[in-house]
Each structure stands twice: as C-alpha cells, then as structure tokens.
Amino acid sequence: MEVFIKPTYEEMCKVAAKLIADVVNTKSHAVLGLATGSTPLGIYRELARMHREEGLDFEHVTTFNLDEYAGLPSDHPQSYHHFMHENFFKHINIPKQNTFIPSGTTNNYRAFCQWYEQQIKDCGGIDLQLLGIGSDGHIGFNEPASSLNSRTRLKTLAESTINDNARFFENRDEVPIYAITMGVGTILEARQILLVANGKNKARAIADAIEGPVTCMNTASALQLHPSTIYMIDTEAASCLTMREYYDWVQAKKPDVPQA
Ligand code: F6R
C-alpha cells in the first residue's frame, strides 16, 4: 500500500483526480468504480475541469457505483443516482448507458445484485475503484461485522452511518435503513484501489484501516490484503497514524527509488 498525506483537501483531490485521469488516458476502455458522499466531490469537480479545459475524454469509460439507498427512486434528491448525475456525469461526456449504479427500487434485490456483479465481470472488471471511508471504517456500505468475502447485496446501515448521513436529509427519520452495496470481496477484485479521506472524524478509522489488524470491524482494513491500494488523505485524517513520518519519508524519497 502507499500512503500520501496532503496538506489540504483541494490538493488531495487534485492528485487523486490526476491518478484517475491517468487510467482514463492510458486504458482504451477504462472501467472506474465510483463512490458518493462528500469526500469525492472535489475529485469530480477536478475531473470535470480536466474534461472541460484539457479534453479529458470519458466517451469510452464505463463506471460502476458502489452503492445506492434501498427505496429511493433515481430522481430522489438524496439518491446516489441523482448525486452522480448532478455532481459528475452531467459535466462530462460519458454515455448514460455506460454508467451503472445499483437500483434502489428493484423488486428483486437478490437477482439485481447478481446481475450487477455480472455486468462488472462482462466489462472486464474494475480498473480503479475510488473509495471513501465511513467514520466506522466502512467502505461502500460494508458496515462493521460485514464478511470480508461479501458480494453485492442488500445491507442494513449502522446507526452511526445513519447519523453521519442525516446531514444530507431534512431529518434523520428520512435516511433509509437499507442500501445495496458492492461487497468487500467485490471491491477487492478491482485492479487498483484509491481510498480518499479528509477531516479529523476519519482519523481513527484511517489509522485502524492502515495500521490495525485486518478485521471485519473496520472493513477498510481488508484493503491490506489488496496488492495495489493508494490512500490519499489530508493531514487531519492522518493525525492518528503511528507511522506518519515513515509515509512522508517514503514519498520524499520516491524520485530516488532504483528502477528494476
Ligand atoms: C459512498 C460510500 C460510503 C462513503 C462513506 C464516507 O458511495 O460508499 O462508503 O464513502 O460513507 O462518506 P463521506 O465522504 O460523505 O464522509
């Protein structure tokens, strides 16, 4: 794993967007795994800017979102369908049929989840999966005590997640209790993972994910088993890391690393 600690949210988003743009530019039909929430907003803004000003081309890109609230129709203002359209897709040239987001309104969740997994396979798998992290260490909506082998499924949200996400709704009672989420096992199959986090309320979850034991109590810790994970975090989110100086040292030394 690689840990990059950036002084500001803006800088973190810039570097993360550059990594995503590199995949889009180098792979002829890149497949991106995408996240919602407040953390990736700056990344989507920067990618949209790159599209507008530098011609970053999404025409042959396919995307798979991690999750969607169960019960919210795609035009609901808090649905992740709406989020993705408003904050990213409408600002770039990606064809609508290339954007996959779990359905919040299917009448057969089990069949839908199997279909979603199959779509990912049929597209050749995810090249780069963008992840945020919950204050309880969740990735996607894989709450503590999720199986580290889990696949896309319907999941009950933890109370802490409902409380965290209540800020997006008019009142807490409106936050759905269930969501469809890619499983930890599904996420681990992506060829590259990019986890982004900012702010003090993520510091404990980040330290446990990077430096703690692999445990279902912090599902992000399963990324320790992935061969290519990048953590792009700001200084506040890095504030509980024990090995902080080492990560900075590694990044400072990078240009001198002998090439094979
Ligand atoms: C969203 C998702 C979640 C969020 C996490 C952090 O698609 O999968 O795991 O990444 O809840 O959310 P924010 O960024 O709002 O703190």
Side-chain angles (χ1 to χ4, degrees):
M1 80 174 83
E2 285 194 272
V3 181
F4 292 81
I5 300 164
K6 298 292 166 193
T8 63
Y9 173 74
E10 287 69 28
E11 198 165 326
M12 175 188 105
C13 290
K14 241 183 151 162
V15 184
K18 170 87 175 60
L19 290 173
I20 296 170
D22 285 348
V23 175
V24 170
N25 283 327
T26 52
K27 196 98 211 268
S28 61
H29 287 76
V31 181
L32 302 176
L34 299 179
T36 58
S38 51
T39 315
L41 282 171
I43 299 174
Y44 295 145
R45 270 197 299 272
E46 175 64 5
L47 287 169
R49 186 201 64 75
M50 290 166 108
H51 167 68
R52 222 174 32 247
E53 294 174 13
E54 295 164 16
L56 183 63
D57 186 6
F58 290 87
E59 193 176 347
H60 300 293
V61 171
T62 299
T63 61
F64 286 91
N65 265 76
L66 284 165
D67 39 24
E68 177 59 287
Y69 289 118
L72 295 194
S74 56
D75 59 354
H76 188 286
Q78 299 313 330
S79 77
Y80 288 166
H81 281 77
H82 184 79
F83 176 101
M84 289 309 298
H85 179 72
E86 285 303 310
N87 294 301
F88 193 31
F89 297 150
K90 81 173 189 192
H91 304 289
I92 58 173
N93 66 330
I94 192 162
K96 190 170 171 25
Q97 67 272 19
N98 289 10
T99 62
F100 292 82
I101 303 177
S103 166
T105 53
T106 171
N107 51 21
N108 187 338
Y109 281 97
R110 190 180 294 260
F112 179 85
C113 292
Q114 280 171 5
W115 176 85
Y116 200 71
E117 291 262 342
Q118 193 56 49
Q119 295 308 302
I120 297 174
K121 284 201 178 77
D122 290 351
C123 286
I126 291 172
D127 292 307
L128 183 145
Q129 175 67 58
L130 176 64
L131 297 173
I133 185 171
S135 58
D136 62 3
H138 70 224
I139 48 175
F141 275 133
N142 294 286
E143 300 288 24
S146 291
S147 160
L148 299 186
N149 228 344
S150 50
R151 310 302 308 186
T152 303
R153 68 207 182 292
L154 193 63
K155 185 76 193 160
T156 311
L157 302 186
E159 273 204 281
S160 59
T161 300
I162 292 174
N163 291 337
D164 282 351
N165 291 1
R167 68 188 193 278
F168 299 114
F169 291 78
E170 281 193 359
N171 65 67
R172 186 186 180 280
D173 295 343
E174 286 176 24
V175 186
I177 290 172
Y178 299 102
I180 287 191
T181 180
M182 279 188 205
V184 181
T186 321
I187 291 169
L188 288 175
E189 281 172 7
R191 284 183 267 283
Q192 200 183 346
I193 306 266
L194 172 59
L195 188 148
V196 290
N198 66 303
K200 260 217 138 30
N201 70 325
K202 300 293 174 67
R204 190 66 261 156
I206 280 290
D208 289 345
I210 296 177
E211 298 176 339
V214 173
T215 166
C216 66
M217 296 310 287
N218 176 315
T219 52
S221 68
L223 301 174
Q224 291 175 31
L225 302 171
H226 191 278
S228 181
T229 295
I230 290 175
Y231 290 89
M232 190 68 65
I233 61 182
D234 76 347
T235 37
E236 288 192 338
S239 58
C240 293
L241 287 169
T242 311
M243 302 278 286
R244 164 79 198 264
E245 279 177 20
Y246 175 68
Y247 307 132
D248 287 341
W249 164 258
V250 171
Q251 295 312 328
K253 286 282 151 202
K254 252 205 139 87
D256 300 334
V257 171
Q259 300 300 312

